[in-house]
Structure formats: structure tokens, C-alpha cells
Amino acid sequence: MKQRILVIAIAALSFLALNAMHMQAQSGGNKGYYTEKLRFGVGAQAGLMSGMGLGVRIHPMGRMSVQIAGGAISGGESVAASLGAEGQFDFDWRARSRFYGFVGMGYYTNGEEELTVAAGTWEQGKEDPRLKSPFRAGIGLGYEWDISNVLIFSASVAFTYFSEGMFLPLPQIGLYYMFD
């Protein structure tokens, strides 16, 4: 079942990529914001596939870009953290808005990795509070809107594979300040 969903997602992305390339060829290949020169962005990302927290993105001239996001927050005795990365491919764009596909991965922790009965940090018989799936990987589609001259808002859906074997479509959002 999981393999069928992954095959359908890959087929859909392939269809969208071919369609976008065909549309681009018909429109005469108008240059856009991301094809004029190298672009950088800093901001915030929230998602359960490719990192949550502060983010940095680099979009060289062309259709490819890279994004890294991560952060940590302390809640009592433990620290929850995440670190992730995405590779993005632009299917289509208009001015500074773009439709893209991406692949990514991330590592998430709730700060409970060092639990042992011997150290007294975990009582035998209680439910294990550690994350069952700290590693995630996925593929997805996203869209990005320019909401001002320098701010970009992105929303995406990632078909996410969890390291324990679960496969879920999960949303992600981001807000980035773009500069040259």
C-alpha cells in the first residue's frame, strides 16, 4: 500500500513537471525573479518533514534551490529540536511567486534519547516517551507567494515517510525575508 502511494506521488510529480516544462516552452520562457540572479532568504519554517525553526534558503539562477531549517526549544527538563533540508525544483513562476516540487529529510527529537532505568530517568513499565520516528523523508508540492517587496510566504504538502514505517501527507509553512 505504501509503495503504491509513493509510486502515485512520483507519477503525479513527473506529470506536473512535464506539464510545467511544456507550458514554459509555449510561453516563450519569460525570465523571472529567481532566474535573474542568485537569491538568498532567511526566515522561519514549520513542518514535520524538513525541519522546524529558523531557515536559510539559497536559490541560484535557474530552477533549483536548497533550504535548511532547524531549531530547538526548551520545555522543562528536556530540549525539543529539529534539523532538516529540502531540495526544490521550480515548475512555474510569475514574478516572485512560484510553484515547486521538493524532496527533503529531517531529524526530530523531544530530548528524551538518554532515558534509562539505571539512571533513574525512566521507570520500568511506563510508556516510553521517546519519539518512535525521529527520521523523516518525503516528497511534495508547494507554492510561494510574495506578500511584500521582501517577504515570501510558502505553503506545501509533503508526502512524508516516518522511520517507523508510517506514511502521511503533512502540511508545511514558511515565511522568508528575501535579499540579493
Side-chain angles (χ1 to χ4, degrees):
M1 177 66 172
K2 293 175 194 167
Q3 290 175 343
R4 275 191 235 147
I5 293 172
L6 188 58
V7 168
I8 291 170
I10 290 171
L13 280 174
S14 299
F15 174 75
L16 289 170
L18 290 173
N19 187 37
M21 285 188 265
H22 177 71
M23 295 295 281
Q24 185 67 21
Q26 285 184 341
S27 70
N30 295 337
K31 292 279 185 181
Y33 175 76
Y34 294 106
T35 59
E36 295 170 349
K37 63 189 234 179
L38 177 69
R39 304 289 180 176
F40 294 95
V42 294
Q45 166 87 7
L48 293 175
M49 194 266 304
S50 61
M52 191 177 300
L54 297 177
V56 175
R57 65 169 42 177
I58 300 169
H59 199 298
M61 287 176 40
R63 294 182 173 267
M64 302 295 287
S65 64
V66 176
Q67 177 177 295
I68 299 170
I73 187 167
S74 177
E77 297 177 10
S78 62
V79 175
S82 71
L83 179 63
E86 282 183 13
Q88 301 174 347
F89 180 81
D90 298 347
F91 295 131
D92 194 15
W93 59 83
R94 178 172 294 141
R96 294 182 319 146
S97 298
R98 66 188 181 110
F99 173 61
Y100 61 94
F102 62 94
V103 295
M105 58 189 287
Y107 175 76
Y108 292 76
T109 177
N110 62 357
E112 303 290 348
E113 276 74 29
E114 302 297 324
L115 295 178
T116 63
V117 175
T121 55
W122 180 50
E123 293 179 29
Q124 200 163 5
K126 285 197 170 186
E127 184 177 342
D128 190 348
R130 292 176 285 193
L131 291 179
K132 293 182 178 114
S133 296
F135 293 101
R136 291 96 189 261
I139 187 169
L141 296 172
Y143 195 81
E144 206 166 77
W145 296 267
D146 58 338
I147 57 176
S148 77
N149 288 334
V150 293
L151 289 177
I152 302 288
F153 175 77
S154 65
S156 61
V157 174
F159 299 98
T160 308
Y161 175 77
F162 289 76
S163 57
E164 75 173 19
M166 190 169 39
F167 192 79
L168 294 172
L170 297 173
Q172 299 192 130
I173 59 170
L175 183 65
Y176 286 87
Y177 175 85
M178 299 301 290
F179 55 94
D180 300 335

